Amino acid sequence: MNLSSIVNRTVAVALPHTSVTQAAKLMREYHIGALVVMSSDQPDALPRGMLTDRDLVLEVLAQEVDPDMVTVGDISLERLVTASVDDSLFEAVSRMSEAGVRRLVIVDEVGGLIGLVSMDDVIVALSQALVALAQIIPSELRAERRERPGLDEGAEAGSAWRA
C-alpha cells in the first residue's frame, strides 16, 4: 500500500506573516493540530515548514507572549519531513519514527504540496489491514470445512488432545 491511498489532499496552510492568533483560529475552524507553512501565496509556492498546536503552546502561551505580536514565521519550525505519494506505508512509518514527527508533508517531484499524511491516517490504514488479516482465519476454516466435509468427525472421536 502506498501513501496515495491515504493522503489528505485538502490541507490547511498559513503564510509566514500570518499571526499566530489567526493560525490558531484556522486550527480550531478545521479541527486540526497543524498547518503547513507555505513560502508564499503564489501557485508555485513550496511548503517551507509546519506549525503545530504544540508550537503555539510552547512558544506563545508558555512564554506569555502576546499572540497578536507573533507571526507563524516567528515560531514555526522549518524542519519539514516530506514523502512522495509513491512511498509505501512502511516507508512513511520509518520516516516519521526517525524524524520524531506525527505528520508527513506529501510533495511532488519538484517539492510542491500534494497533501498531508498524519500518524492517525497511518494507524487507521494499518488497523484496517490487520482486521482484513484477522478475517482470513475464520474464513479459511469455513472453506476448509466445506472442502473437506469429514474433517471434524475425527475430533469428536477423541483423536485430538484437549487440556
Side-chain angles (χ1 to χ4, degrees):
M1 173 185 295
N2 65 21
L3 298 182
S4 66
S5 62
I6 65 169
V7 63
N8 294 306
R9 294 178 185 269
T10 302
V11 179
V13 299
L15 297 172
H17 65 270
T18 303
S19 75
V20 295
T21 300
Q22 184 58 35
K25 287 178 181 180
L26 283 170
M27 289 181 194
R28 184 176 192 275
E29 178 182 348
Y30 293 107
H31 305 280
I32 55 173
L35 301 171
V36 175
V37 181
M38 301 298 289
S39 60
S40 74
D41 60 359
Q42 299 302 307
D44 62 345
L46 300 175
R48 77 167 243 199
M50 179 78 70
L51 178 75
T52 67
D53 47 9
R54 184 171 173 80
D55 296 329
L56 296 176
V57 169
L58 295 177
E59 298 298 326
V60 179
L61 292 174
Q63 303 287 334
E64 298 182 12
V65 175
D66 180 358
D68 291 322
M69 303 304 294
V70 180
T71 66
V72 167
D74 293 334
I75 66 167
S76 64
L77 298 177
E78 292 193 21
R79 183 180 68 122
L80 192 64
V81 184
T82 63
S84 162
V85 291
D86 296 324
D87 289 347
S88 74
L89 201 54
F90 296 105
E91 289 172 313
V93 169
S94 177
R95 191 165 295 141
M96 292 167 102
S97 177
E98 288 171 10
V101 297
R102 300 172 63 92
R103 298 164 188 89
L104 290 175
V105 176
I106 308 303
V107 295
D108 60 22
E109 58 279 345
V110 295
L113 179 64
I114 291 177
L116 198 65
V117 169
S118 71
M119 185 175 70
D120 293 355
D121 300 323
V122 172
I123 289 171
V124 167
L126 290 173
S127 297
Q128 290 170 343
L130 286 174
V131 166
L133 278 172
Q135 291 171 341
I136 291 172
I137 298 166
S139 176
E140 179 183 41
L141 291 173
R142 285 190 302 273
E144 188 172 277
R145 286 186 177 123
R146 275 192 314 270
E147 294 168 8
R148 302 172 193 257
L151 197 59
D152 287 335
E153 295 169 12
E156 292 174 13
S159 63
W161 180 80
R162 293 181 191 195

